[in-house]
């Protein structure tokens, strides 16, 4: 098998006396969707925030394309092409869609912002994702619905040719049609060569879109399997701790 | 006959498309949805202008308008300074005393130590810069609420000012260049040249924006709209300069039918171009640079800004430094107008500065507001004081009316936002 784009080994993280991650391993491959599942509080979001450089890990190694890297700031992560769409969407409501999509990486010319270029790229990205619900890219985010905000957040993550896109419960707030659209989008992302990690509580979605499933249980990775080699009942068992995975981890 | 266009029209717009009529429709829809900006303040300003013009014959005279401008300038500068921190959802209660302390430092340096006036102003500005760093350090690095840090400085600096000036001391501002800011006027020709430069800058930036958008291949608003806006600016500016170019010295009467000779007072007060230049530069930075964008982002959602890789602490530092430094400019303005600096200079003004910003439409929750809003808010407050003064009403009425206007403005903001569907709390 290829070298994973992302390989986490023995990741530990605690908040004061609480050990949230207790030696977690995880791999993500280019062109594949890896689903990260687990019950509430299992540590999924914490694992992902470390990869984004938002909340650095306490210990363990992170390899990117086989090279060990240290991710301490969001800038370091995005320099490697790691982009995250957070569960609590990180958008500034007082800014418009273009401004949010380019936040922290604005296009400038002669030291001033090149609004036209940003506007065009934002529209193109949204159109590339077949977004139809947004009327104007200059709408303030405060005027958008939950689904529209999710769309903006995803569009932001794919704006700059990301290598790894991590989605934390991207469909949790969406209706049926928009969920379908987002899942299609996730698949298209992977098919274009991006390594996608998706966190979801919806196993139907997971089985629809994922190539691999990694199960986190109370801060420990209890199973990581190819979707084709498992079924929904087993995964539910791993998530709740009522079944133990005996096979070899991917 | 071709019936299908080569490329389908883009499905996502940007608000720049459409005819002039559609642009106006969209604009008024925005207003109804609560994006009022400075409109309530501008409306209030116009109403006050009309009201006082009817109530007092000496209100809309060149002499009084020039007076009004110099009365408003200090408050305007302070309110503009405060915008930089209010946009972050922070506050600087010490901005007033910062202006006082630095003005005190300036006069004492010039008066007692024979320091060159330019050097003294630079030292005063550097002091403001240092104060801003101090506040920024405690707010952004140590994590103390800005309200507390600056309240501490507000109290402490009144003492510092007392020490610099000496108990009961009053220093006259004897530097002619500084006294001139508020008390002298530009030669008439210079007023017109200044206006021409301002209009040229406005035209060039507008054309530059259009050229950039065109090069990027995105829609531009109808050109007529741009020229209309620029024409309005030019006409308003011309009326303003023309009004200030007539001799406004009070008549001395006449002797045997011949007017008694007097020294003419004419031209735009020197403080006006200084203020306009700072307003323009600040607006340019806030609207067009990455720093400005990041400032708004931090004010709207600091966590989102942090995750986007913005150095939130540095943005906060720079905002406080800018605020304190501009507060020094306000202090120099005040010293120039009053003509003296005492131990109490600047201690009263800061809350009026906050009020001016809020009246103009700057949100204390952060993330929303512009420098022009603060400037208009300061004009509203200055007009109230000026007009009520002309009517001979006691100062108490002035405070009552100003307070009422502040609450009215804040209600406008809250109601419009509730209508916009945004949560009241943010
Ligand atoms: N900043 C923090 N300080 C203290 N404890 C935290 C912090 N962030 C997370 N935790 C704790 O870490 C544990 C794991 O949280 P995390 O958000 O990673 O779970 P999750 O798997 O994403 O859950 P969910 O499915 O509900 O999103 C929880 O018990 C949570 O309370
Ligand atoms: Mg989570």
């Amino acid at each position: 098998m290829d070298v994973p784009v992302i390989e986490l080994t023995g990741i530990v993280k605690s908040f004061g006396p609480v050990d949230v991650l207790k030696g977690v391993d995880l791999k993500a491959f280019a062109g594949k969707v890896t689903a990260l599942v687990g019950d509430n509080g299992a540590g999924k979001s914490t694992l992902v925030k470390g990869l984004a450089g938002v909340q650095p890990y306490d210990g363990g190694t992170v390899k990117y394309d086989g090279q060990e890297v240290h991710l301490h700031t969001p800038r370091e992560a995005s320099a490697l092409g790691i982009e995250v769409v957070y569960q609590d969407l990180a958008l500034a409501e007082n800014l418009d869609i273009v401004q949010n999509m380019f936040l922290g990486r604005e296009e400038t010319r002669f030291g001033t912002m090149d609004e036209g270029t940003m506007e065009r790229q934002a529209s193109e990205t949204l159109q590339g994702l077949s977004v139809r619900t947004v009327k104007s890219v200059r709408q303030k985010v405060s005027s958008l619905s939950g689904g529209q905000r999710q769309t903006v957040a995803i569009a932001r993550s794919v704006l700059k040719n990301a290598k790894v896109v991590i989605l934390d419960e991207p469909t949790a707030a969406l209706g049926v049609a928009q969920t379908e659209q987002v899942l299609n989008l996730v698949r298209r992302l992977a098919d274009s060569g991006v390594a996608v990690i998706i966190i979801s509580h919806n196993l139907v979605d997971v089985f629809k879109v994922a190539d691999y499933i990694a199960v986190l249980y109370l801060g420990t990775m209890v199973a990581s399997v190819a979707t084709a080699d498992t079924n929904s009942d087993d995964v539910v068992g791993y998530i709740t701790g009522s079944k133990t995975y005996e096979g070899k981890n991917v | 006959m071709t019936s299908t266009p080569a490329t389908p029209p883009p499905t996502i717009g940007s608000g720049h498309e459409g005819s002039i009529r559609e642009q106006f429709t969209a604009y008024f829809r925005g207003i109804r949805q609560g994006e009022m900006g400075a409109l309530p303040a501008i409306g209030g300003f116009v109403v006050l202008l009309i009201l006082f013009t009817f109530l007092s014959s000496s209100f809309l005279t060149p002499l009084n308008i020039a007076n009004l401008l110099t009365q408003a300038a200090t408050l305007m500068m302070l309110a503009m300074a405060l915008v930089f921190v209010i946009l972050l959802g922070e506050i600087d209660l010490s901005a007033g005393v910062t202006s006082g302390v630095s003005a005190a430092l300036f006069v004492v340096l010039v008066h007692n130590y024979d320091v060159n006036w330019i050097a003294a102003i630079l030292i005063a500005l550097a002091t403001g810069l240092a104060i801003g760093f101090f506040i920024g350090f405690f707010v952004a690095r140590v994590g103390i609420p800005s309200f507390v840090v600056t309240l501490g400085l507000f109290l402490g600096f009144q003492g510092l000012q007392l020490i610099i000036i000496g108990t009961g001391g009053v220093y006259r501002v004897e530097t002619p260049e500084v006294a001139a800011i508020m008390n002298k006027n530009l030669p008439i020709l210079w007023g017109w040249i200044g206006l021409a430069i301002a209009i040229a800058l406005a035209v060039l930036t507008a054309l530059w924006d259009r050229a950039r958008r065109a090069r990027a291949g995105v829609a531009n608003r109808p050109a007529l709209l741009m020229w209309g806006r620029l024409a309005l600016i030019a006409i308003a500016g011309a009326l303003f300069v023309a009004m200030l170019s007539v001799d406004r010295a009070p008549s001395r009467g006449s002797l045997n039918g011949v007017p008694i000779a007097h020294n003419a007072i004419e031209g735009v007060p020197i403080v006006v171009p200084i203020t306009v230049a700072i307003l323009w530069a600040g607006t340019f930075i806030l609207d067009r640079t990455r720093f400005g964008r990041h400032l708004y982002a931090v004010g709207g959602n600091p966590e989102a800004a942090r995750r986007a890789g913005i150095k939130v602490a540095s943005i906060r530092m720079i905002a406080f430094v800018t605020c304190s430094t501009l507060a020094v400019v306000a202090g120099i303005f005040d010293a120039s107008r009053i003509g003296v600096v005492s131990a109490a200079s600047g201690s009263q003004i800061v809350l009026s500065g906050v009020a001016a910003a809020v009246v103009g439409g700057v949100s204390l929750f952060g993330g929303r507001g512009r420098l022009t809003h603060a400037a208009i808010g300061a004009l509203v407050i200055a007009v109230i004081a000026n007009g009520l003064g002309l009517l001979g009403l006691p100062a108490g009425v002035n405070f009552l009316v100003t307070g009422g206007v502040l609450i009215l403005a804040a209600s406008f903001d809250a109601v419009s936002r509730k209508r916009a569907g945004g949560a009241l709390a943010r």
Side-chain angles (χ1 to χ4, degrees), chain A residues 49 54 74-75 86 88 90-92 94-95 99 103-106 108-120 123 126-127 131 134-138 156, chain B residues 10-16 35 208 212-213 215-219 284 287-290 293-294 296-297 299-301 303-311 367-368:
Chain A
K49 281 180 182 161
V54 169
R75 231 176 253 274
Y86 293 94
D88 47 338
L91 299 173
N94 60 327
L95 301 184
Q99 293 170 339
L103 191 61
R105 47 193 181 180
E106 294 81 4
T108 57
R109 264 179 85 93
F110 311 114
T112 63
M113 287 183 292
D114 192 349
E115 298 288 351
T117 300
M118 291 195 276
E119 200 173 294
R120 183 173 45 75
S123 311
L126 284 167
Q127 273 165 33
V131 173
V134 176
K135 255 205 255 101
S136 159
V137 287
R138 288 298 180 184
R156 173 182 159 81
Chain B
T11 46
I12 307 174
S14 66
H16 288 256
E35 286 167 24
W208 186 38
R212 275 180 155 194
R213 291 187 63 89
R215 178 151 26 78
V218 295
F284 189 95
D287 283 357
R288 292 164 183 276
T289 66
R290 303 185 75 202
R293 177 64 43 82
H294 294 175
Y296 280 98
N301 186 346
E303 182 58 21
R306 195 174 73 87
R307 289 182 191 171
I310 293 170
K311 297 196 176 92
R368 298 190 327 149

Side-chain angles (χ1 to χ4, degrees), chain B residues 189-215:
Chain B
L189 180 63
W190 283 35
W192 290 108
I193 292 176
L195 178 68
I197 293 174
I199 293 173
L201 268 177
V203 170
L204 285 178
T205 40
L207 289 177
W208 186 38
D209 282 346
R210 290 184 73 83
R212 275 180 155 194
R213 291 187 63 89
R215 178 151 26 78

Side-chain angles (χ1 to χ4, degrees), chain A residues 40-41 43-46 87 168-169 199 201:
Chain A
N40 293 117
K44 305 181 296 293
S45 297
T46 308
Q87 189 172 12
D168 195 350
E169 301 197 31
I199 299 179
H201 286 289

